[in-house]
Amino acid sequence: MKKIFVPILCIIIMAIATGCLHQQLSEDEFTIIWQEYVKREFVESFDEEQSTMQRREILNSVLNDFSINEQSFYSYCRTKHPDKFRLFDIKP
């Protein structure tokens, strides 16, 4: 009985830990983050267009400030807002 219990307990703990790492993003959170990104991009590029790398750096800074996982955000953006996702030219 103990031989089965320990591996099952380990599997459950790993499943919970893995699930907690993947954040679910709501549309409201996306909108707030996107508005902050647009503000920062405007300030940094008032008279010139940003490169894709510069856009990613700005967005990653915003995501870091809001403690949002980059992969979760980009995944949400790719599925729900493909027009905005194209701005960052990220290959799947």
Side-chain angles (χ1 to χ4, degrees):
M1 182 78 169
K2 285 186 178 182
K3 291 180 182 181
I4 295 174
F5 180 72
V6 173
I8 290 175
L9 182 60
C10 290
I11 291 171
I12 291 171
I13 291 172
M14 287 176 23
I16 291 171
T18 306
C20 292
L21 293 176
H22 182 69
Q23 298 171 327
Q24 292 294 327
L25 201 64
S26 71
E27 186 63 28
D28 291 337
E29 291 171 322
F30 178 86
T31 303
I32 291 168
I33 292 167
W34 189 257
Q35 288 172 347
E36 181 64 26
Y37 162 74
V38 170
K39 278 193 265 182
R40 290 190 193 182
E41 183 184 18
F42 178 75
V43 168
E44 289 194 25
S45 65
F46 184 71
D47 59 349
E48 65 182 51
E49 187 173 337
Q50 296 283 342
S51 71
T52 18
M53 182 60 110
Q54 289 170 316
R55 286 188 198 121
R56 275 186 262 159
E57 288 173 358
I58 294 168
L59 182 58
N60 290 342
S61 170
V62 172
L63 294 174
N64 188 35
D65 290 348
F66 282 93
S67 299
I68 301 291
N69 181 294
E70 293 173 18
Q71 187 175 4
S72 295
F73 181 86
Y74 287 122
S75 176
Y76 183 88
C77 190
R78 180 181 347 169
T79 57
K80 303 284 185 175
H81 301 278
D83 55 322
K84 293 175 180 162
F85 182 75
R86 280 187 226 111
L87 291 173
F88 304 103
D89 191 33
I90 298 172
K91 306 295 184 231

